[in-house]
Amino acid sequence: MTKPLEQVLLTPGPTPIEPHAQKALSFPMRGHMDPEVFAVNARVQENLLTLYGANSSAFTCLLAGTGSLGMEAGFANLLEPSDHVLICANGSFGYRMAEMSERLGANVTVVKAPIGQAIQLEDVKAALEKQAFKLVAVVHGETSTGVLNPAVEIAKLAKSYGCLVTVDAVTTAGMMPYHMSDWGIDYSYTGSQKCLSAPPGVAPVAFSSAAIAAVEARKSKVPLWYADLEGLQAYWNRREYHHTVPVQLHYALDAALTAALAEGLEARAIRVHEVGAAALAALETIGFSAFVHRPEERLPTVLAVRLPDHVQDVPVRSGLRDHGVIVTGGLGETAGKIWRLGLMGESARPAIYHRFFDALEKVLGVKGLITAFDKHLAVRA
Ligand SMILES: *Cc1c(COP(=O)(O)O)cnc(C)c1O
């Protein structure tokens, strides 16, 4: 097989692979029950506590699947048929949560917000006043629209009503402060290919001690054998066989996670803010504008920008692809109107945005984008 040409991924997942993770992919094969693999797993579990800001009574592990398995595993473990669940939905991933809960036979209530706007705390409170819920779930950063939801406030509110809380941390944990135990979150998950810049295929998850107790108190069996907390604990805590884990993906995730913590979670949060602000400033010089109106509702890791009239979505993105730069458009009602620029993990690097602006200058026949980006970065640095 000939090696494919290099591409610059500005997609909101997958992200460019972190160099140590890329190297780890070629480590020699080991069995899933080998002590070396268990040593890697133990380090991953410990580091995930840090990533999620969870205390040592939480259970962390990797699921052998993508972020959506992380989402589904949470509902499958925490919900029993006819349990009441409150889902906050203002984009594709929130609605995916509702769909999964429905399939599990739960009683689903959805609190909505319009596309491009955050979930309102008063709407969540109104729903909680009406009836009791076992679980409240919210997507922290809605990738489909670039909206940051007030997950921390929602979690605190839901806790005060005695609910369990699930927060989708796919676009936030690892790139923004995340404090599961302080915020009262019981279950969180992400995907390896998002903020950690590892290859896709494993989903890092965390269950709080209250979530573990809730699973232990179930009357019915967890409907998904593969993601049953008990089976996961058998392998990850007691080192018993459950299923054959993807060893190479564990190596790569371990390397990427170690690198992220070495850089520092605060340093990463600063990096994503600086690169994102400079990218928006440069795009504004040619008529792009932020899709999300309220600055405090903008997700730092996915920059959603509205296209100016003179920029045609599909032809310009295919022109960028000819220069090896991959950009994602809108979904559903935002298709053709917005781009969603990834700033997760390795994509939030000035070098990546230089490649993007260089290609954009060529495709649009404009000048000054790289200069504008650098100027803004220098002012802030
Ligand atoms: C990408 C994403 C998911 C799903 O992850 P997959 O790895 O595509 O299965 C879930 N939630 C959010 C917010 C995401 O961005």
Side-chain angles (χ1 to χ4, degrees):
M1 189 187 146
T2 54
K3 197 175 169 188
L5 289 174
E6 185 239 350
Q7 281 185 344
V8 177
L9 296 176
L10 276 99
T11 46
T15 50
I17 295 189
E18 196 281 329
H20 299 89
Q22 182 77 60
K23 255 190 224 139
L25 281 172
S26 64
F27 288 179
M29 187 61 201
R30 291 284 185 273
H32 56 290
M33 302 299 283
D34 194 277
E36 283 179 32
V37 174
F38 282 124
V40 169
N41 292 349
R43 183 166 55 231
V44 167
Q45 286 185 290
E46 188 66 33
N47 284 340
L48 285 179
L49 291 177
T50 308
L51 181 89
Y52 283 122
N55 59 36
S56 55
S57 64
F59 171 71
T60 57
C61 72
L62 303 177
L63 305 182
T66 64
S68 301
L69 180 64
M71 185 189 283
E72 197 148 35
F75 293 119
N77 278 285
L78 296 175
L79 292 178
E80 294 192 72
S82 69
D83 275 350
H84 289 270
V85 57
L86 185 66
I87 308 279
C88 304
N90 53 345
S92 315
F93 292 105
Y95 287 105
R96 182 174 295 185
M97 284 181 153
E99 165 78 22
M100 285 177 176
S101 307
E102 257 159 37
R103 288 186 188 212
L104 290 163
N107 219 310
V108 183
T109 302
V110 181
V111 169
K112 297 179 188 172
I115 295 301
Q117 294 178 31
I119 297 286
Q120 297 303 304
L121 214 54
E122 309 83 76
D123 295 341
V124 179
K125 193 170 166 56
L128 289 169
E129 280 295 327
K130 266 197 204 135
Q131 68 168 95
F133 291 96
K134 179 177 185 188
L135 175 68
V136 174
V138 61
V139 176
H140 198 182
E142 184 44 83
T143 324
S144 63
T145 56
V147 169
L148 180 70
N149 280 318
V152 184
E153 291 76 12
I154 291 173
K156 286 187 177 156
L157 181 66
K159 267 284 105 109
S160 73
Y161 282 81
C163 309
L164 290 168
V165 179
T166 286
V167 177
D168 175 312
V170 175
T171 55
T172 53
M175 228 53 211
M176 285 173 51
Y178 203 86
H179 304 287
M180 223 178 131
S181 54
D182 291 353
W183 297 343
I185 296 169
D186 296 297
Y187 181 71
S188 279
Y189 56 90
T190 183
S192 48
Q193 81 281 21
K194 301 280 178 102
C195 290
L196 291 172
S197 284
V202 283
V205 302
F207 291 81
S208 74
S209 53
I212 297 167
V215 181
E216 285 167 354
R218 288 177 65 105
K219 293 186 214 78
S220 58
K221 281 191 177 175
V222 174
L224 232 93
W225 178 90
Y226 202 68
D228 186 337
L229 177 61
E230 164 57 29
L232 297 171
Q233 286 174 317
Y235 176 73
W236 287 85
N237 286 354
R238 301 197 298 276
R239 306 191 170 188
E240 295 164 6
Y241 169 65
H242 183 249
H243 61 270
T244 308
V245 300
V247 171
Q248 276 73 15
L249 297 182
H250 285 208
Y251 292 156
L253 187 288
D254 174 43
L257 180 54
T258 301
L261 297 186
E263 181 185 358
L265 297 175
E266 273 149 39
R268 288 165 78 83
I270 293 168
R271 171 155 70 81
V272 66
H273 270 285
E274 289 182 347
V275 176
L280 178 60
L283 286 167
E284 281 173 342
T285 64
I286 54 164
F288 283 82
S289 57
F291 172 63
V292 178
H293 290 298
R294 298 192 192 109
E296 69 278 12
E297 293 184 357
R298 289 180 197 153
L299 174 60
T301 53
V302 180
L303 175 60
V305 286
R306 198 178 277 283
L307 307 188
D309 290 339
H310 66 92
V311 176
Q312 296 229 315
D313 177 33
V314 175
V316 175
R317 280 195 293 122
S318 91
L320 290 172
R321 190 178 184 282
D322 294 340
H323 290 275
V325 173
I326 311 299
V327 169
T328 308
L331 271 179
E333 61 185 86
T334 61
K337 296 180 188 149
I338 69 168
W339 284 353
R340 293 174 299 135
L341 303 172
L343 288 151
M344 289 182 249
E346 290 305 300
S347 56
R349 298 272 181 203
I352 297 278
Y353 274 80
H354 282 165
R355 288 283 308 272
F356 166 60
F357 284 122
D358 180 48
L360 194 58
E361 285 184 3
K362 289 179 178 134
V363 173
L364 295 179
V366 298
K367 283 202 179 3
L369 291 176
I370 297 180
T371 314
F373 174 79
D374 281 345
K375 213 174 103 196
H376 199 88
L377 211 55
V379 170
R380 288 173 63 91

mmCIF file of all heavy atoms in Angstrom, residues 253-272:
data_model
loop_
_atom_site.group_PDB
_atom_site.id
_atom_site.type_symbol
_atom_site.label_atom_id
_atom_site.label_comp_id
_atom_site.label_asym_id
_atom_site.label_seq_id
_atom_site.Cartn_x
_atom_site.Cartn_y
_atom_site.Cartn_z
ATOM 1 N N LEU A 253 -3.855 5.826 23.335
ATOM 2 C CA LEU A 253 -4.607 6.702 24.246
ATOM 3 C C LEU A 253 -3.758 7.050 25.467
ATOM 4 O O LEU A 253 -3.710 8.208 25.909
ATOM 5 C CB LEU A 253 -5.907 5.984 24.645
ATOM 6 C CG LEU A 253 -6.995 6.696 25.457
ATOM 7 C CD1 LEU A 253 -6.606 6.909 26.912
ATOM 8 C CD2 LEU A 253 -7.408 8.030 24.850
ATOM 9 N N ASP A 254 -3.058 6.050 25.982
ATOM 10 C CA ASP A 254 -2.181 6.266 27.141
ATOM 11 C C ASP A 254 -1.145 7.344 26.829
ATOM 12 O O ASP A 254 -0.930 8.271 27.619
ATOM 13 C CB ASP A 254 -1.510 4.939 27.505
ATOM 14 C CG ASP A 254 -0.471 5.084 28.605
ATOM 15 O OD1 ASP A 254 -0.736 5.804 29.590
ATOM 16 O OD2 ASP A 254 0.612 4.472 28.485
ATOM 17 N N ALA A 255 -0.534 7.237 25.643
ATOM 18 C CA ALA A 255 0.498 8.206 25.258
ATOM 19 C C ALA A 255 -0.093 9.605 25.099
ATOM 20 O O ALA A 255 0.488 10.597 25.567
ATOM 21 C CB ALA A 255 1.168 7.756 23.956
ATOM 22 N N ALA A 256 -1.249 9.692 24.473
ATOM 23 C CA ALA A 256 -1.882 11.003 24.254
ATOM 24 C C ALA A 256 -2.327 11.629 25.577
ATOM 25 O O ALA A 256 -2.158 12.835 25.791
ATOM 26 C CB ALA A 256 -3.075 10.851 23.315
ATOM 27 N N LEU A 257 -2.856 10.803 26.454
ATOM 28 C CA LEU A 257 -3.335 11.301 27.757
ATOM 29 C C LEU A 257 -2.164 11.769 28.609
ATOM 30 O O LEU A 257 -2.220 12.834 29.249
ATOM 31 C CB LEU A 257 -4.133 10.187 28.449
ATOM 32 C CG LEU A 257 -4.736 10.450 29.827
ATOM 33 C CD1 LEU A 257 -5.599 11.696 29.841
ATOM 34 C CD2 LEU A 257 -5.560 9.238 30.276
ATOM 35 N N THR A 258 -1.079 10.987 28.605
ATOM 36 C CA THR A 258 0.125 11.374 29.350
ATOM 37 C C THR A 258 0.658 12.713 28.827
ATOM 38 O O THR A 258 1.027 13.597 29.607
ATOM 39 C CB THR A 258 1.199 10.269 29.229
ATOM 40 O OG1 THR A 258 0.653 9.059 29.755
ATOM 41 C CG2 THR A 258 2.459 10.621 29.989
ATOM 42 N N ALA A 259 0.662 12.865 27.504
ATOM 43 C CA ALA A 259 1.152 14.116 26.905
ATOM 44 C C ALA A 259 0.246 15.291 27.285
ATOM 45 O O ALA A 259 0.728 16.392 27.575
ATOM 46 C CB ALA A 259 1.235 13.978 25.387
ATOM 47 N N ALA A 260 -1.062 15.058 27.300
ATOM 48 C CA ALA A 260 -2.005 16.137 27.650
ATOM 49 C C ALA A 260 -1.788 16.601 29.085
ATOM 50 O O ALA A 260 -1.763 17.807 29.370
ATOM 51 C CB ALA A 260 -3.442 15.673 27.455
ATOM 52 N N LEU A 261 -1.592 15.639 29.988
ATOM 53 C CA LEU A 261 -1.405 16.020 31.396
ATOM 54 C C LEU A 261 -0.043 16.667 31.605
ATOM 55 O O LEU A 261 0.107 17.551 32.455
ATOM 56 C CB LEU A 261 -1.587 14.808 32.318
ATOM 57 C CG LEU A 261 -2.991 14.166 32.310
ATOM 58 C CD1 LEU A 261 -3.079 13.066 33.362
ATOM 59 C CD2 LEU A 261 -4.099 15.192 32.522
ATOM 60 N N ALA A 262 0.956 16.243 30.803
ATOM 61 C CA ALA A 262 2.281 16.867 30.908
ATOM 62 C C ALA A 262 2.219 18.323 30.443
ATOM 63 O O ALA A 262 2.830 19.208 31.035
ATOM 64 C CB ALA A 262 3.307 16.084 30.081
ATOM 65 N N GLU A 263 1.464 18.571 29.386
ATOM 66 C CA GLU A 263 1.285 19.959 28.931
ATOM 67 C C GLU A 263 0.536 20.753 29.997
ATOM 68 O O GLU A 263 0.841 21.920 30.236
ATOM 69 C CB GLU A 263 0.502 19.996 27.610
ATOM 70 C CG GLU A 263 0.307 21.421 27.079
ATOM 71 C CD GLU A 263 -0.561 21.506 25.827
ATOM 72 O OE1 GLU A 263 -1.010 20.461 25.317
ATOM 73 O OE2 GLU A 263 -0.783 22.648 25.361
ATOM 74 N N GLY A 264 -0.417 20.112 30.633
ATOM 75 C CA GLY A 264 -1.209 20.761 31.679
ATOM 76 C C GLY A 264 -2.578 21.155 31.156
ATOM 77 O O GLY A 264 -2.685 21.757 30.087
ATOM 78 N N LEU A 265 -3.624 20.817 31.908
ATOM 79 C CA LEU A 265 -4.986 21.081 31.439
ATOM 80 C C LEU A 265 -5.265 22.581 31.364
ATOM 81 O O LEU A 265 -6.000 23.041 30.500
ATOM 82 C CB LEU A 265 -6.007 20.350 32.324
ATOM 83 C CG LEU A 265 -5.878 18.806 32.280
ATOM 84 C CD1 LEU A 265 -6.825 18.145 33.274
ATOM 85 C CD2 LEU A 265 -6.114 18.263 30.869
ATOM 86 N N GLU A 266 -4.637 23.360 32.255
ATOM 87 C CA GLU A 266 -4.846 24.813 32.197
ATOM 88 C C GLU A 266 -4.154 25.416 30.979
ATOM 89 O O GLU A 266 -4.717 26.271 30.296
ATOM 90 C CB GLU A 266 -4.346 25.487 33.470
ATOM 91 C CG GLU A 266 -5.411 25.520 34.552
ATOM 92 C CD GLU A 266 -4.846 25.469 35.953
ATOM 93 O OE1 GLU A 266 -3.810 26.112 36.198
ATOM 94 O OE2 GLU A 266 -5.453 24.774 36.801
ATOM 95 N N ALA A 267 -2.943 24.927 30.691
ATOM 96 C CA ALA A 267 -2.211 25.422 29.520
ATOM 97 C C ALA A 267 -2.998 25.112 28.245
ATOM 98 O O ALA A 267 -3.043 25.921 27.303
ATOM 99 C CB ALA A 267 -0.828 24.779 29.454
ATOM 100 N N ARG A 268 -3.622 23.957 28.214
ATOM 101 C CA ARG A 268 -4.407 23.583 27.026
ATOM 102 C C ARG A 268 -5.626 24.488 26.869
ATOM 103 O O ARG A 268 -5.988 24.882 25.763
ATOM 104 C CB ARG A 268 -4.835 22.113 27.116
ATOM 105 C CG ARG A 268 -3.668 21.167 26.895
ATOM 106 C CD ARG A 268 -4.002 19.764 27.326
ATOM 107 N NE ARG A 268 -4.829 19.001 26.391
ATOM 108 C CZ ARG A 268 -4.377 18.346 25.335
ATOM 109 N NH1 ARG A 268 -3.085 18.387 25.037
ATOM 110 N NH2 ARG A 268 -5.187 17.649 24.574
ATOM 111 N N ALA A 269 -6.233 24.829 28.000
ATOM 112 C CA ALA A 269 -7.407 25.708 27.949
ATOM 113 C C ALA A 269 -7.009 27.087 27.405
ATOM 114 O O ALA A 269 -7.732 27.690 26.610
ATOM 115 C CB ALA A 269 -8.038 25.829 29.332
ATOM 116 N N ILE A 270 -5.831 27.561 27.810
ATOM 117 C CA ILE A 270 -5.350 28.865 27.322
ATOM 118 C C ILE A 270 -5.050 28.765 25.816
ATOM 119 O O ILE A 270 -5.419 29.636 25.036
ATOM 120 C CB ILE A 270 -4.096 29.315 28.119
ATOM 121 C CG1 ILE A 270 -4.501 29.612 29.573
ATOM 122 C CG2 ILE A 270 -3.438 30.526 27.479
ATOM 123 C CD1 ILE A 270 -3.333 29.796 30.524
ATOM 124 N N ARG A 271 -4.413 27.675 25.430
ATOM 125 C CA ARG A 271 -4.067 27.472 24.010
ATOM 126 C C ARG A 271 -5.317 27.507 23.126
ATOM 127 O O ARG A 271 -5.345 28.165 22.087
ATOM 128 C CB ARG A 271 -3.328 26.132 23.881
ATOM 129 C CG ARG A 271 -3.092 25.655 22.475
ATOM 130 C CD ARG A 271 -1.896 24.708 22.392
ATOM 131 N NE ARG A 271 -2.062 23.397 23.006
ATOM 132 C CZ ARG A 271 -2.684 22.361 22.424
ATOM 133 N NH1 ARG A 271 -3.249 22.523 21.251
ATOM 134 N NH2 ARG A 271 -2.760 21.194 23.038
ATOM 135 N N VAL A 272 -6.360 26.802 23.531
ATOM 136 C CA VAL A 272 -7.543 26.740 22.683
ATOM 137 C C VAL A 272 -8.212 28.122 22.593
ATOM 138 O O VAL A 272 -8.659 28.534 21.513
ATOM 139 C CB VAL A 272 -8.519 25.622 23.126
ATOM 140 C CG1 VAL A 272 -9.127 25.864 24.470
ATOM 141 C CG2 VAL A 272 -9.623 25.417 22.116
#
